[in-house]
Amino acid sequence: MGMPRAFRSRPLPLQEPASRGSITMASSMTDSHRRFLQVLMSNGIIDAAEARRLHRFFCEQHKVYYAHDKLDDFIGIINTYLRPLFMEIRKGRSEDNGKIFYALVNLAITEATKVASDYAENELELFKKTMDLIVESESGYASSTNILNLSDKLQSKKMRKKEVEHVLQKFVQDKWLSERHGEYTLHTRCIMELDQYICETYQDVKKCNICHSLAIQGQFCETCGIKMHLPCTAKYFKSQPEPRCPHCNDIWPHDTRDLVQPDSHLSPRIPRTPRRISSSEPK
């Protein structure tokens, strides 16, 4: 499920800063790439704004050519060295608000049970059952109450509810889950790393009809069954007075007025069961 925390935090060997002089064009790993990777290993995931800031800072510090639109090329160089180690820096979007993130993912681990060694067997089982609740729900969220009720359903070793609360905090801290007002969903990092496992394990899981990424949270068409992320829905229907499904052209049965636009600075609301609207209701 992820890279062991001890490995993620292990510092990379850094050379001394390059001597002052002419700026070089980087076609292979430099200290700027190593420093960027070291920060990402420590954090697991960073948003695009922070990635751009680090890209510029390390390139300027180590006298490597910098261009604001070359971040993906810069990361591509790092990935050429990571892939033989079955690792990769992957780019993805938050299901909450559409913000872009970069995460360091382990390509060799595709099963949720093969999680980092700092989780006990019953903790891994709790995560798997929690993921079941989240992925199989209509909203893409699981309530703390439903997760706490899993405590006596674990096959490996039962947990007290206080222990479950503690483990949930660990999952949130390690960025496998996100929590808001007692509701839990999969963290962006978790979706980016476990994309393949989720698609293979949950046959009914869908991908967004707009961005074609895995869609845990979202709205769906009751006629043809397609699903769209909430930010993708908001962007697609932004200028449509009568939203219609992009696939079957039927009236979109959910309210889209309060959805958060991609890259919005507003706090996204927790999506409950979507409120359905009729074609005669004012938009």
Side-chain angles (χ1 to χ4, degrees):
M1 185 181 103
M3 182 170 47
R5 182 187 305 161
F7 181 69
R8 292 204 309 269
S9 59
R10 186 181 303 159
L12 292 175
L14 297 178
Q15 301 174 7
E16 292 298 318
S19 59
R20 295 183 179 276
S22 59
I23 295 176
T24 59
M25 299 289 289
S27 58
S28 60
M29 283 278 278
T30 67
D31 283 345
S32 63
H33 297 87
R34 296 184 185 96
R35 293 284 297 277
F36 184 95
L37 177 57
Q38 187 175 39
V39 172
L40 195 50
M41 289 178 71
S42 177
N43 290 276
I45 186 170
I46 56 177
D47 63 32
E50 178 66 2
R52 289 192 294 268
R53 187 191 71 80
L54 292 172
H55 174 218
R56 179 171 183 172
F57 176 78
F58 290 137
C59 284
E60 291 178 348
Q61 187 177 51
H62 295 284
K63 301 298 180 181
V64 174
Y65 172 74
Y66 166 78
H68 74 277
D69 59 344
K70 297 297 182 182
L71 173 59
D72 287 350
D73 293 340
F74 179 85
I75 290 174
I77 291 174
I78 300 175
N79 278 337
T80 60
Y81 289 82
L82 289 179
R83 288 186 184 117
L85 304 175
F86 302 101
M87 297 169 65
E88 180 181 71
I89 298 175
R90 189 170 290 173
K91 183 178 181 179
R93 285 184 178 271
S94 165
E95 291 195 324
D96 280 336
N97 54 25
K99 285 180 62 176
I100 294 176
F101 285 84
Y102 292 88
L104 183 62
V105 303
N106 191 336
L107 302 178
I109 299 177
T110 58
E111 298 181 17
T113 53
K114 296 179 181 177
V115 71
S117 59
D118 47 327
Y119 291 115
E121 184 180 356
N122 59 342
E123 294 175 338
L124 303 183
E125 185 183 355
L126 175 66
F127 180 84
K128 176 62 169 62
K129 289 183 179 298
T130 299
M131 187 159 62
D132 291 344
L133 290 177
I134 292 170
V135 176
E136 293 171 357
S137 70
E138 184 177 335
S139 66
Y141 278 81
S143 70
S144 57
T145 301
N146 287 340
I147 298 174
L148 290 174
N149 287 337
L150 297 172
S151 60
D152 59 354
K153 298 179 182 178
L154 302 177
Q155 300 297 318
S156 50
K157 181 183 178 182
K158 300 294 189 293
M159 285 186 187
R160 297 190 300 271
K161 285 184 167 57
K162 281 291 183 182
E163 292 177 303
V164 173
E165 290 177 348
H166 176 70
V167 174
L168 284 175
Q169 290 175 1
K170 286 177 60 177
F171 290 150
V172 171
Q173 181 180 357
D174 292 343
K175 300 172 185 174
W176 295 114
L177 297 178
S178 295
E179 184 271 338
R180 192 169 9 331
H181 307 305
E183 299 276 339
Y184 289 84
T185 190
L186 301 185
H187 194 282
T188 302
R189 177 198 177 193
C190 178
I191 295 174
M192 291 169 69
E193 182 148 353
L194 296 182
D195 178 283
Q196 180 181 346
Y197 170 79
I198 293 171
C199 289
E200 292 175 352
T201 303
Y202 304 96
Q203 296 182 352
D204 293 333
V205 73
K206 296 181 180 295
K207 294 201 172 185
C208 177
N209 190 72
I210 302 300
C211 71
H212 308 295
S213 298
L214 189 65
I216 304 300
Q217 303 173 44
Q219 294 182 347
F220 62 93
C221 176
E222 295 177 345
T223 302
C224 66
I226 68 158
K227 191 170 185 177
M228 298 194 291
H229 290 128
L230 302 181
C232 293
T233 301
K235 185 176 182 180
Y236 183 81
F237 291 139
K238 182 180 178 180
S239 59
Q240 297 187 29
E242 187 178 71
R244 290 182 174 273
C245 174
H247 184 259
C248 69
N249 204 40
D250 270 9
I251 296 292
W252 193 251
H254 310 292
D255 192 353
T256 64
R257 291 171 293 187
D258 297 327
L259 299 182
V260 177
Q261 293 285 333
D263 301 319
S264 170
H265 297 292
L266 298 174
S267 297
R269 60 181 175 83
I270 295 176
R272 303 286 184 171
T273 302
R275 183 172 73 86
R276 290 157 177 75
I277 58 175
S278 65
S279 57
S280 60
E281 181 180 347
K283 306 296 186 291

